[in-house]
Amino acid sequence: MNTEKQLRGVGVGAGYFSQFHYEAWSRIPQVEIVGICDHELANAESLANQYGVPNTCSQLEQLLDETEPDFLDVITRPDSHAAIVELAASRGINVICQKPLAPTIEEAVQIVECADASGIRLMVHENFRFQPWHREIHRLISDGTIGDQLLTLSCRTRTGDGWQSDAYLARQPYFVEMPRLLIYETGVHFVDTFRYHAGEIEGVFASLRKLNPNIRGEDAGVVLFEFANQAEGIWDASRFHESNCSNPRYTFGEFLFDGSAGSIRLSGDGTIRIQPHGKPEFVHDYQHSDRNFAGDCVYNTQLHFVHGLLEERPFETDGHEYLKTLRVQEAIYESARSRQPVRQLTSGGHNASC
């Protein structure tokens, strides 16, 4: 791929997580970020000075007029996404948009339909599947390393950032008031990652709880997954409890993949271990580093977006693909409310059944 600057981008949002976006863009040679927009202009100016971005503004429409970018990187709160994508679509500007895509699935559908109607490319910045261990494990499973069938996959997540009385206030204070937290903000990553490894999800059964009385939404739960290929999965998660690894936000959990001929284990430090049936477990060597965020997955996600634009490749997490993940998310909440399994997700709807 040509390494000259080929794409001009504008970032909207200068909050906590945006630092990872702008640092990653600075390492992609085909991209020049030409502007940063934020209601708090001082925040935009600080990031612009740090990464050599020439323009800042508190009004997105004005910044788009001045810079005429090829794409917009949306790094704002979910309730702002629809209006921002609509503005970009009206000007024919492609979009990469942070998750959660919208406060409700109905609004998410409207965003995807808006992008379709205008002809712009839309990718959701879903970065967990782009973590290096998941790319490598996906390759190992596809190559038949643990057999010709993936039977079960499971993950135990303990982030430890939600037990304090002032939990989340220092980094992302809006988490405190979110009516949905664990699944909407965190679990959606795992739904997408499980889909990446095992394919489409046909059923879920969920139990969700709130352990910290100082927050509004759920912060712990267990979700069971049924896949179309007959595999089964489980996500056991708590933001209230702590991990025993030095950086619980590196892999965001310990994973186990059981296949028809063996197992793959992922530790919290990124170590992959393989245990073929009848043989000792061994460490699998591959490349990963603690750079930027969670194994440099933001960089990998944005590089995928760039390749998709320049080479006209499909995005793994385009709008329509991501709506599949959001339908599973909604089924999890429905299951938790009804205390019943919810199935038939791949048919476009879902039904609760005993």
Side-chain angles (χ1 to χ4, degrees):
M1 197 165 69
N2 192 332
T3 58
E4 295 181 357
K5 303 294 184 187
Q6 297 168 268
L7 295 172
R8 292 163 52 86
V10 159
V12 53
Y16 163 74
F17 202 79
S18 68
Q19 61 184 308
F20 303 115
H21 285 238
Y22 296 119
E23 192 280 333
W25 288 126
S26 73
R27 290 186 278 129
I28 299 178
Q30 297 85 7
V31 169
E32 179 186 9
I33 299 298
V34 296
I36 298 176
C37 177
D38 195 273
H39 292 306
E40 297 291 338
L41 188 58
N43 294 342
E45 290 173 343
S46 176
L47 285 165
N49 290 334
Q50 185 175 358
Y51 294 108
V53 177
N55 300 286
T56 58
C57 192
S58 61
Q59 301 298 319
L60 180 58
E61 190 167 0
Q62 178 183 338
L63 185 60
L64 296 181
D65 286 339
E66 294 173 352
T67 59
E68 298 183 344
D70 300 298
F71 72 87
L72 183 62
D73 184 11
V74 182
I75 329 165
T76 58
R77 291 177 57 161
D79 56 6
S80 67
H81 291 174
I84 293 172
V85 173
E86 183 178 354
L87 178 61
S90 70
R91 295 160 183 261
I93 300 170
N94 301 305
V95 174
I96 179 170
C97 183
Q98 257 295 347
K99 47 63 62 188
L101 185 57
T104 68
I105 191 167
E106 291 78 14
E107 290 172 86
V109 169
Q110 292 173 5
I111 289 173
V112 174
E113 290 178 346
C114 175
D116 285 349
S118 67
I120 67 166
R121 301 284 305 278
L122 170 66
M123 175 175 156
V124 180
H125 188 120
E126 174 49 73
N127 51 50
F128 272 37
R129 68 162 61 203
F130 291 100
Q131 293 169 354
W133 35 87
H134 286 305
R135 306 308 278 192
E136 183 67 5
I137 289 170
H138 185 83
R139 185 189 68 80
L140 291 169
I141 293 172
S142 298
D143 288 348
T145 302
I146 55 173
D148 59 2
Q149 186 178 3
L150 178 62
L151 301 176
T152 63
L153 63 162
S154 61
C155 175
R156 183 177 184 272
T157 295
R158 300 290 185 270
T159 59
D161 61 348
W163 61 267
Q164 306 88 342
S165 60
D166 61 350
Y168 314 116
L169 291 179
R171 190 175 67 237
Q172 289 163 299
Y174 59 93
F175 280 12
V176 174
E177 295 300 325
M178 289 173 64
R180 295 176 167 188
L181 178 61
L182 181 71
I183 302 303
Y184 178 73
E185 173 59 36
T186 309
V188 68
H189 285 303
F190 292 87
V191 172
D192 182 75
T193 302
F194 276 30
R195 287 185 57 233
Y196 173 61
H197 288 302
E200 297 309 327
I201 296 168
E202 286 198 332
V204 298
F205 182 58
S207 175
L208 305 178
R209 296 187 291 169
K210 182 177 75 168
L211 301 179
N212 187 333
N214 299 302
I215 67 171
R216 187 178 175 190
E218 83 285 356
D219 55 4
V222 177
V223 184
L224 305 179
F225 298 92
E226 299 172 351
F227 294 88
N229 63 4
Q230 306 304 307
E232 296 181 343
I234 181 170
W235 185 51
D236 171 12
S238 173
R239 299 194 70 135
F240 187 81
H241 292 96
E242 296 177 301
S243 169
N244 61 1
C245 63
S246 60
N247 181 7
R249 290 167 61 83
Y250 191 48
T251 66
F252 283 84
E254 299 171 336
F255 289 77
L256 173 62
F257 302 82
D258 290 326
S260 56
S263 301
I264 296 173
R265 292 175 177 84
L266 172 67
S267 301
D269 64 359
T271 300
I272 292 175
R273 293 178 173 85
I274 301 173
Q275 185 175 15
H277 280 172
K279 297 180 181 179
E281 182 181 72
F282 63 91
V283 173
H284 173 72
D285 185 40
Y286 75 109
Q287 295 297 314
H288 65 101
S289 64
D290 191 1
R291 184 174 188 178
N292 190 283
F293 174 77
D296 216 12
C297 64
V298 171
Y299 170 85
N300 294 332
T301 303
Q302 292 172 185
L303 190 63
H304 177 77
F305 175 73
V306 170
H307 278 266
L309 288 183
L310 294 181
E311 301 174 15
E312 298 183 353
R313 297 182 186 180
F315 301 135
E316 289 185 19
T317 57
D318 68 16
H320 290 280
E321 278 300 309
Y322 210 66
L323 288 178
K324 298 177 184 178
T325 292
L326 294 185
R327 291 187 182 103
V328 176
Q329 171 189 281
E330 292 307 298
I332 291 170
Y333 280 113
E334 180 179 329
S335 175
R337 284 193 300 269
S338 67
R339 297 187 178 274
Q340 300 283 346
V342 176
R343 296 193 172 95
Q344 301 180 11
L345 302 184
T346 57
S347 65
H350 48 261
N351 298 315
S353 62
C354 297

Coordinates of all heavy atoms in Angstrom, one line a residue, residues 315-354:
F315 N -15.4 -3.8 5.7 CA -15.0 -3.7 7.1 C -15.6 -4.9 7.9 O -16.8 -5.2 7.7 CB -15.6 -2.4 7.8 CG -15.1 -1.1 7.1 CD1 -16.1 -0.1 6.9 CD2 -13.8 -0.9 6.7 CE1 -15.7 1.1 6.3 CE2 -13.4 0.3 6.1 CZ -14.4 1.3 5.9
E316 N -14.8 -5.5 8.8 CA -15.3 -6.6 9.6 C -16.4 -6.1 10.5 O -17.3 -6.9 10.8 CB -14.2 -7.2 10.5 CG -13.2 -7.9 9.7 CD -12.1 -8.6 10.6 OE1 -12.4 -8.8 11.8 OE2 -11.1 -9.0 10.1
T317 N -16.4 -4.8 11.0 CA -17.4 -4.3 11.9 C -18.1 -3.2 11.2 O -18.3 -2.1 11.8 CB -16.7 -3.9 13.2 OG1 -15.7 -2.9 12.9 CG2 -16.1 -5.1 13.9
D318 N -18.6 -3.4 10.0 CA -19.4 -2.3 9.4 C -20.8 -2.2 10.1 O -21.1 -3.0 11.0 CB -19.6 -2.5 7.9 CG -20.4 -3.7 7.5 OD1 -21.1 -4.3 8.4 OD2 -20.3 -4.2 6.4
G319 N -21.6 -1.3 9.7 CA -22.8 -1.0 10.4 C -23.7 -2.2 10.5 O -24.3 -2.6 11.5
H320 N -23.9 -2.9 9.4 CA -24.8 -4.1 9.3 C -24.3 -5.2 10.2 O -25.1 -5.9 10.9 CB -25.0 -4.5 7.9 CG -25.9 -3.5 7.1 ND1 -27.2 -3.5 7.2 CD2 -25.5 -2.6 6.2 CE1 -27.7 -2.5 6.4 NE2 -26.6 -1.9 5.8
E321 N -23.0 -5.5 10.1 CA -22.4 -6.5 11.0 C -22.6 -6.2 12.4 O -22.9 -7.0 13.3 CB -20.9 -6.7 10.6 CG -20.7 -7.6 9.5 CD -21.2 -9.0 9.6 OE1 -20.9 -9.6 10.7 OE2 -21.9 -9.5 8.8
Y322 N -22.4 -4.9 12.8 CA -22.5 -4.5 14.2 C -23.9 -4.6 14.7 O -24.1 -4.8 15.9 CB -21.9 -3.1 14.4 CG -21.3 -3.1 15.8 CD1 -20.2 -3.8 16.1 CD2 -21.8 -2.2 16.8 CE1 -19.7 -3.8 17.4 CE2 -21.3 -2.2 18.0 CZ -20.2 -3.0 18.4 OH -19.7 -2.9 19.6
L323 N -24.9 -4.4 13.8 CA -26.3 -4.5 14.3 C -26.5 -5.9 14.8 O -27.4 -6.2 15.7 CB -27.2 -4.1 13.2 CG -27.3 -2.7 12.8 CD1 -28.3 -2.4 11.7 CD2 -27.7 -1.8 14.0
K324 N -25.9 -6.9 14.2 CA -26.0 -8.3 14.7 C -25.6 -8.4 16.1 O -26.2 -9.1 17.0 CB -25.2 -9.3 13.8 CG -25.7 -9.3 12.3 CD -24.8 -10.2 11.5 CE -25.1 -10.2 10.1 NZ -24.2 -11.1 9.3
T325 N -24.4 -7.8 16.4 CA -23.9 -7.8 17.8 C -24.9 -7.0 18.7 O -25.2 -7.5 19.9 CB -22.6 -7.1 17.9 OG1 -21.6 -7.9 17.2 CG2 -22.1 -6.8 19.3
L326 N -25.5 -5.9 18.3 CA -26.4 -5.2 19.1 C -27.7 -6.0 19.4 O -28.3 -5.8 20.4 CB -26.7 -3.8 18.5 CG -25.6 -2.9 18.4 CD1 -26.0 -1.5 17.9 CD2 -24.9 -2.7 19.7
R327 N -28.1 -6.8 18.4 CA -29.3 -7.6 18.6 C -29.1 -8.6 19.7 O -30.0 -8.9 20.5 CB -29.8 -8.2 17.3 CG -30.3 -7.2 16.3 CD -30.9 -7.9 15.1 NE -31.4 -6.8 14.1 CZ -30.7 -6.5 13.0 NH1 -29.6 -7.0 12.7 NH2 -31.2 -5.5 12.3
V328 N -27.9 -9.2 19.7 CA -27.5 -10.1 20.8 C -27.5 -9.3 22.2 O -28.0 -9.8 23.2 CB -26.2 -10.7 20.6 CG1 -25.8 -11.6 21.7 CG2 -26.2 -11.6 19.3
Q329 N -27.0 -8.1 22.2 CA -27.0 -7.3 23.4 C -28.4 -7.1 23.9 O -28.6 -7.2 25.1 CB -26.3 -5.9 23.1 CG -26.5 -4.9 24.2 CD -26.0 -3.5 23.7 OE1 -24.9 -3.2 23.7 NE2 -27.0 -2.7 23.4
E330 N -29.3 -6.8 23.0 CA -30.7 -6.6 23.5 C -31.3 -7.8 24.0 O -32.1 -7.8 25.0 CB -31.5 -6.0 22.3 CG -31.1 -4.6 21.9 CD -31.1 -3.6 23.1 OE1 -32.2 -3.4 23.7 OE2 -30.0 -3.1 23.4
A331 N -30.9 -9.0 23.4 CA -31.5 -10.3 23.8 C -30.9 -10.6 25.2 O -31.6 -11.2 26.0 CB -31.1 -11.4 22.9
I332 N -29.7 -10.2 25.5 CA -29.1 -10.4 26.9 C -30.0 -9.7 27.9 O -30.3 -10.2 29.0 CB -27.7 -10.0 26.9 CG1 -26.8 -11.0 26.0 CG2 -27.1 -10.0 28.3 CD1 -25.4 -10.5 25.8
Y333 N -30.3 -8.4 27.6 CA -31.1 -7.6 28.6 C -32.5 -8.2 28.7 O -33.1 -8.3 29.8 CB -31.1 -6.2 28.2 CG -29.9 -5.4 28.5 CD1 -29.0 -4.9 27.6 CD2 -29.6 -5.2 29.9 CE1 -27.9 -4.2 27.9 CE2 -28.4 -4.5 30.2 CZ -27.6 -4.0 29.3 OH -26.5 -3.3 29.6
E334 N -33.1 -8.7 27.6 CA -34.4 -9.3 27.6 C -34.4 -10.5 28.5 O -35.3 -10.8 29.3 CB -34.9 -9.6 26.2 CG -36.3 -10.2 26.2 CD -36.8 -10.5 24.8 OE1 -36.4 -9.7 23.9 OE2 -37.5 -11.4 24.7
S335 N -33.3 -11.4 28.3 CA -33.2 -12.6 29.1 C -33.1 -12.3 30.6 O -33.7 -13.0 31.4 CB -32.0 -13.4 28.6 OG -31.8 -14.5 29.4
A336 N -32.2 -11.3 30.9 CA -32.0 -10.9 32.3 C -33.3 -10.4 32.9 O -33.6 -10.7 34.1 CB -31.0 -9.9 32.4
R337 N -34.2 -9.7 32.2 CA -35.4 -9.2 32.7 C -36.4 -10.3 32.9 O -37.1 -10.4 33.9 CB -36.0 -8.2 31.7 CG -35.4 -6.8 31.8 CD -36.3 -5.8 31.0 NE -36.5 -6.2 29.6 CZ -35.7 -5.8 28.6 NH1 -34.6 -5.0 28.9 NH2 -35.9 -6.2 27.4
S338 N -36.5 -11.2 31.9 CA -37.5 -12.3 31.9 C -37.1 -13.5 32.7 O -37.9 -14.4 33.0 CB -37.9 -12.7 30.5 OG -36.8 -13.3 29.9
R339 N -35.8 -13.6 32.9 CA -35.2 -14.8 33.5 C -35.5 -16.0 32.7 O -35.7 -17.1 33.2 CB -35.6 -15.0 35.0 CG -35.2 -13.9 35.9 CD -35.5 -14.1 37.4 NE -35.0 -13.0 38.2 CZ -33.8 -13.0 38.7 NH1 -32.9 -13.9 38.4 NH2 -33.5 -11.9 39.5
Q340 N -35.5 -15.8 31.4 CA -35.7 -16.9 30.4 C -34.6 -16.9 29.3 O -34.1 -15.8 29.1 CB -37.1 -16.7 29.8 CG -38.3 -16.8 30.7 CD -38.6 -18.2 31.1 OE1 -38.1 -19.2 30.6 NE2 -39.4 -18.3 32.2
P341 N -34.3 -18.0 28.7 CA -33.5 -17.9 27.6 C -34.2 -17.2 26.4 O -35.4 -17.2 26.3 CB -33.2 -19.4 27.2 CG -34.3 -20.2 27.8 CD -34.7 -19.4 29.1
V342 N -33.4 -16.6 25.6 CA -33.9 -15.9 24.4 C -33.2 -16.5 23.2 O -32.0 -16.5 23.1 CB -33.7 -14.4 24.4 CG1 -34.1 -13.7 23.2 CG2 -34.4 -13.8 25.6
R343 N -34.0 -17.0 22.2 CA -33.4 -17.7 21.1 C -33.9 -17.2 19.8 O -34.6 -16.2 19.7 CB -33.8 -19.2 21.2 CG -33.1 -19.9 22.5 CD -33.2 -21.4 22.4 NE -32.5 -22.0 23.5 CZ -33.0 -22.4 24.6 NH1 -34.3 -22.2 24.9 NH2 -32.3 -23.0 25.5
Q344 N -33.5 -17.8 18.7 CA -33.8 -17.5 17.3 C -33.3 -16.1 16.9 O -33.9 -15.4 16.2 CB -35.4 -17.6 17.1 CG -35.9 -18.9 17.4 CD -37.4 -19.0 17.2 OE1 -38.0 -18.1 16.6 NE2 -38.1 -20.1 17.6
L345 N -32.1 -15.8 17.4 CA -31.5 -14.4 17.1 C -31.1 -14.3 15.7 O -31.2 -13.2 15.1 CB -30.3 -14.2 18.0 CG -30.6 -14.3 19.5 CD1 -29.3 -13.9 20.3 CD2 -31.7 -13.4 19.9
T346 N -30.7 -15.3 15.0 CA -30.3 -15.2 13.6 C -31.4 -15.1 12.6 O -31.2 -14.8 11.5 CB -29.4 -16.4 13.2 OG1 -30.2 -17.6 13.4 CG2 -28.1 -16.5 14.0
S347 N -32.6 -15.2 13.1 CA -33.8 -15.1 12.2 C -34.3 -13.7 12.1 O -35.2 -13.4 11.4 CB -34.9 -16.0 12.7 OG -35.4 -15.5 14.0
G348 N -33.6 -12.7 12.8 CA -34.0 -11.3 12.7 C -34.8 -10.8 13.8 O -35.0 -9.7 14.1
G349 N -35.4 -11.8 14.6 CA -36.1 -11.4 15.8 C -35.7 -12.3 16.9 O -34.7 -13.0 16.8
H350 N -36.4 -12.3 18.0 CA -36.0 -13.2 19.1 C -37.2 -13.5 20.0 O -38.1 -12.7 20.1 CB -34.9 -12.7 19.9 CG -35.0 -11.3 20.4 ND1 -34.4 -10.3 19.8 CD2 -35.7 -10.8 21.5 CE1 -34.6 -9.2 20.5 NE2 -35.4 -9.4 21.5
N351 N -37.3 -14.7 20.5 CA -38.4 -15.2 21.3 C -37.9 -15.8 22.6 O -36.9 -16.5 22.6 CB -39.2 -16.3 20.5 CG -39.8 -15.8 19.2 OD1 -40.4 -14.7 19.2 ND2 -39.7 -16.6 18.2
A352 N -38.5 -15.5 23.7 CA -38.2 -16.1 24.9 C -38.9 -17.4 25.0 O -40.0 -17.6 24.6 CB -38.7 -15.2 26.1
S353 N -38.2 -18.4 25.6 CA -38.8 -19.7 25.8 C -38.2 -20.4 27.0 O -37.1 -20.0 27.5 CB -38.6 -20.6 24.6 OG -37.2 -20.8 24.3
C354 N -39.0 -21.3 27.6 CA -38.5 -22.0 28.8 C -37.5 -23.1 28.4 O -37.5 -23.5 27.2 CB -39.6 -22.7 29.5 SG -40.8 -21.5 30.2

